[in-house]
Amino acid sequence: MGNAVEDIVIIGAGPAGVACAWRLAQLGFSPVLLEKEDFPRDKVCGDALSGKSLAIIRKLGGTEALADLAKQPFSQVVSDLCFIDEKQHRVIVSFPPRNGLPQGLVSPRKHFDKWLVSHLPTSVRLETRSKVLRIEAVSQGWCIQRERGKAIHARFIVGADGVTSKVAPWVWRFHKLKRPTVYAAVRGYAPGQSSLALELYFCSPYLPGYLWVFPVAQGYRNVGIGLPGWIANRKNLSLRQHIKTKFPEVEEVKGHGIPVSLHNRPLSAPACALVGDAGALTDPFTGEGIGNALLSGVRLAEALAQVPPRLWQVADWEKLYTKPLYKELRQEFRLTRLLHTIARYRFVVNLLLGYVQHFPSLSQRLLHWYGAS
């Protein structure tokens, strides 16, 4: 690319970066999308796609894209979300398929991310094996130094590079922020399926985190634990060992950090913005991050389209992107942050789930939060 200045460079080709690039292409841009690895590559994740996630995929690619994803051999259709406490109270939220299309899937990231990339419009310029070493502010915007290949100059950069984002520190410094809260998570795949529901176990010693068991296609389960790192340290918990003890047949267990949204954080600085995990947009109660990753990518693309590129350096991105996004997520975050707070207390969790269990109409109200209807 030489010294040519690109309009938009997106760092990270996970769900947030792909959604942003996809929507930008639909709006007439030709973004550059950088990914440090080749596809397929694995990511530590629960692999669950909520109703919100599937709705955004449908918005981007139409009914045909969603139907194609659902029929892939790596996709497992699910129609229930089940919250379980240590007294075995079970609150079940059902979201059966509508009009022949699922409202819930489990798709391993190794395959799902590759599928997403394969559906990108041709105007998106994807460059894999393009690890970013550092980002420098220059007169024209940004200079992105890579491990391989020439440096890239960009007017605007999007941080879609997750918990280890190279873009996020620019936003933190601009707003004088500390790093977001990062939770610890481990995940493995175990043979066997006992249920076709997404099961979340809220019990000691993981509170306010949980243990999950999600069905995966071809006779496997995605099993994992996510909780605040300080709790694991205080209780001297080895999350990997807990998984191996509970699921002796589990295959390789991997760990990862999850930046959770405990409060609204700024998501932009001059000529740059964060989406997905880079912006700490993960649900603090369930740990689900793909839905908000996809949503934030789409909303940032739509905000960029409102401003001529020559004004991107001076535009108010908090007004154009961050505040509208948090307004859209306000009710959801209000609920999940409250649930996260009370989930610290075992007796409250048992009391709440025991109460809701006897009133199915209450649990169905969670459908709006889940993104189904």
Side-chain angles (χ1 to χ4, degrees):
M1 295 182 183
N3 293 321
V5 179
E6 304 292 342
D7 279 341
I8 305 169
V9 173
I10 302 167
I11 302 174
V18 170
C20 188
W22 195 334
R23 187 69 180 123
L24 282 167
Q26 291 176 334
L27 294 168
F29 295 94
S30 298
V32 176
L33 180 59
L34 304 181
E35 169 58 41
K36 65 182 179 181
E37 299 179 69
D38 279 323
F39 290 95
R41 79 310 184 245
D42 195 18
K43 293 290 183 180
V44 176
C45 182
D47 300 333
L49 302 178
S50 66
K52 178 196 293 185
S53 300
L54 300 183
I56 297 170
I57 290 171
R58 187 174 185 176
K59 174 179 179 178
L60 289 170
T63 300
E64 298 79 9
L66 181 52
D68 180 73
L69 176 61
K71 72 180 183 182
Q72 293 298 317
F74 58 78
S75 290
Q76 173 65 58
V77 176
V78 292
S79 57
D80 295 290
L81 175 62
C82 188
F83 300 90
I84 307 163
D85 66 19
E86 58 192 12
K87 291 189 174 182
Q88 293 303 302
H89 296 131
R90 303 175 74 90
V91 173
I92 299 175
V93 180
S94 296
F95 40 88
R98 296 188 64 195
N99 302 318
L101 295 172
Q103 297 193 85
L105 287 176
V106 177
S107 295
R109 290 287 299 277
K110 181 176 182 179
H111 305 297
F112 174 63
D113 286 10
K114 182 180 179 181
W115 180 90
L116 274 178
V117 165
S118 72
H119 283 71
L120 279 170
T122 56
S123 58
V124 176
R125 288 170 288 163
L126 172 66
E127 296 190 20
T128 58
R129 300 181 67 192
S130 192
K131 182 179 180 179
V132 173
L133 297 178
R134 63 184 180 274
I135 300 169
E136 302 168 356
V138 295
S139 59
Q140 293 176 306
W142 303 96
C143 178
I144 303 164
Q145 300 287 347
R146 298 181 290 170
E147 189 174 68
R148 293 186 176 90
K150 296 180 180 179
I152 300 178
H153 291 78
R155 291 187 176 88
F156 195 99
I157 54 172
V158 178
D161 42 349
V163 66
T164 59
S165 175
K166 291 289 195 301
V167 182
W170 287 94
V171 176
W172 301 341
R173 286 193 291 266
F174 182 78
H175 293 280
K176 298 179 180 179
L177 296 172
K178 294 181 180 180
R179 291 175 176 271
T181 301
V182 177
Y183 281 15
V186 296
R187 178 228 65 193
Y189 292 102
Q193 285 186 349
S194 58
S195 169
L196 292 181
L198 304 173
E199 296 179 342
L200 305 179
Y201 292 83
F202 289 87
C203 54
S204 296
Y206 314 123
L207 297 175
Y210 61 88
L211 179 147
W212 73 77
V213 181
F214 297 164
V216 182
Q218 301 173 345
Y220 274 80
R221 293 167 291 169
N222 179 317
V223 297
I225 300 170
L227 79 171
W230 64 268
I231 290 182
N233 293 334
R234 188 182 71 181
K235 296 184 178 181
N236 197 27
L237 297 177
S238 170
L239 301 186
R240 282 182 170 85
Q241 191 57 49
H242 270 253
I243 286 293
K244 291 177 181 178
T245 300
K246 289 182 175 295
F247 306 94
E249 70 280 18
V250 71
E251 297 175 359
E252 183 181 9
V253 178
K254 297 182 178 180
H256 189 56
I258 303 175
V260 296
S261 182
L262 296 179
H263 53 83
N264 293 359
R265 295 172 57 89
L267 299 175
S268 71
C272 69
L274 307 175
V275 291
D277 278 8
L281 290 171
T282 301
D283 185 308
F285 182 57
T286 67
E288 198 276 332
I290 296 177
N292 288 343
L294 292 166
L295 177 66
S296 59
V298 167
R299 294 297 181 247
L300 177 58
E302 293 169 347
L304 283 162
Q306 296 178 41
V307 181
R310 60 185 173 81
L311 298 178
W312 283 346
Q313 182 71 34
V314 297
D316 186 347
W317 298 110
E318 290 298 302
K319 180 180 179 180
L320 291 166
Y321 163 58
T322 304
K323 290 181 179 178
L325 178 65
Y326 281 128
K327 183 177 181 181
E328 186 171 356
L329 294 171
R330 180 172 55 195
Q331 290 186 338
E332 175 184 326
F333 274 161
R334 186 177 296 169
L335 171 63
T336 58
R337 289 167 181 168
L338 172 63
L339 291 173
H340 172 270
T341 299
I342 65 177
R344 295 173 181 267
Y345 308 102
R346 181 175 58 183
F347 75 94
V348 178
V349 172
N350 296 339
L351 183 65
L352 178 62
L353 292 186
Y355 178 79
V356 177
Q357 181 183 35
H358 291 92
F359 296 93
S361 61
L362 292 177
S363 64
Q364 290 304 108
R365 294 182 184 179
L366 295 172
L367 283 174
H368 178 71
W369 155 63
Y370 172 83
S373 58

